[in-house]
Amino acid sequence: GMGTVLLAERDEAGFTQHAAIKLIRGFPSQDGMRRLRQERQILAELDHPDIARLIDGGETAAGQPYLVVEYVRGDTLDAYLKTHALDRDARLQLVERIGAAVQHAHQHLVIHRDLKPSNVMVNDDGEIKLLDFGVAKLIDASDSGLQGSTRVFTPGYASPEQAAGQNIGIATDIYSLGAMLREVLDGLRIDA
């Protein structure tokens, strides 16, 4: 919602590489700049095969922060499920991979806060990549892992405490994973 993502291609020194560049839309506010810098730092600390990898980041000459992440070819989870006739076990395996990526984030004290099918890409081989840590939050160990919520969330996937603007923790992401699991298995979305 806050960013524009561009496809980039690097072609030099005898190799070609694709990447996604994320910029803040329009003139960046202080809060928007802080969020993108925080997302960049969070991704720099996460190293998991099912999380889109940070390649680079910085600021333009005008001071606009950006981040460069690996480009993931494929479809969003919901689009992938519509075009691939997967049995129950294959669908569960996708959710298990998503859960492993989220667990890795939690082990690094990161709460994603926006888990939903459109933030998961699936390639033609069925490999997943968790994307968009734009509203992710670092857990502060000094306050028992609870952080104030943001009013930025996706209805139907946000936990009740997140939707109410209350303190959140890893249970926030667990709730979202449950909502995704239900949708992946039943095709039913919980409307908030």
Side-chain angles (χ1 to χ4, degrees), residues 15-175:
F15 70 93
T16 302
Q17 180 182 29
H18 289 94
I21 300 175
K22 183 174 181 178
L23 297 164
I24 297 173
R25 279 196 195 131
F27 188 77
S29 66
Q30 289 294 81
D31 185 54
M33 290 176 70
R34 179 192 57 76
R35 282 187 188 198
L36 194 65
R37 287 182 185 124
Q38 178 175 308
E39 180 178 5
R40 192 171 59 211
Q41 184 58 48
I42 285 170
L43 286 174
E45 295 175 13
L46 297 178
D47 182 18
H48 190 275
D50 296 328
I51 296 176
R53 179 177 48 85
L54 178 71
I55 296 172
D56 197 5
E59 293 185 5
T60 66
Q64 184 176 30
Y66 65 90
L67 56 94
V68 182
V69 297
E70 72 176 293
Y71 172 65
V72 182
R73 281 188 210 282
D75 293 315
T76 59
L77 177 62
D78 45 353
Y80 183 83
L81 292 173
K82 287 177 185 173
T83 59
H84 292 75
L86 301 179
D87 64 19
R88 181 179 170 274
D89 287 344
R91 289 171 179 257
L92 284 172
Q93 287 174 359
L94 288 174
V95 175
E96 184 178 2
R97 298 279 305 265
I98 298 164
V102 172
Q103 179 184 17
H104 178 78
H106 290 170
Q107 289 170 334
H108 288 81
L109 304 178
V110 174
I111 304 169
H112 189 282
R113 296 197 305 181
D114 197 22
L115 295 173
K116 58 187 176 185
S118 62
N119 280 340
V120 177
M121 295 294 289
V122 187
N123 70 17
D124 290 336
D125 296 327
E127 301 295 319
I128 68 112
K129 291 286 183 179
L130 180 58
L131 307 172
D132 198 357
F133 283 76
V135 296
K137 189 77 171 175
L138 290 169
I139 299 170
D140 183 352
S142 67
D143 67 0
S144 302
L146 297 176
Q147 295 288 329
S149 184
T150 177
R151 298 304 296 170
V152 179
F153 59 85
T154 303
Y157 301 101
S159 66
E161 65 273 13
Q162 186 179 14
Q166 299 171 347
N167 286 339
I168 52 102
I170 63 170
T172 301
D173 282 350
I174 303 303
Y175 180 93

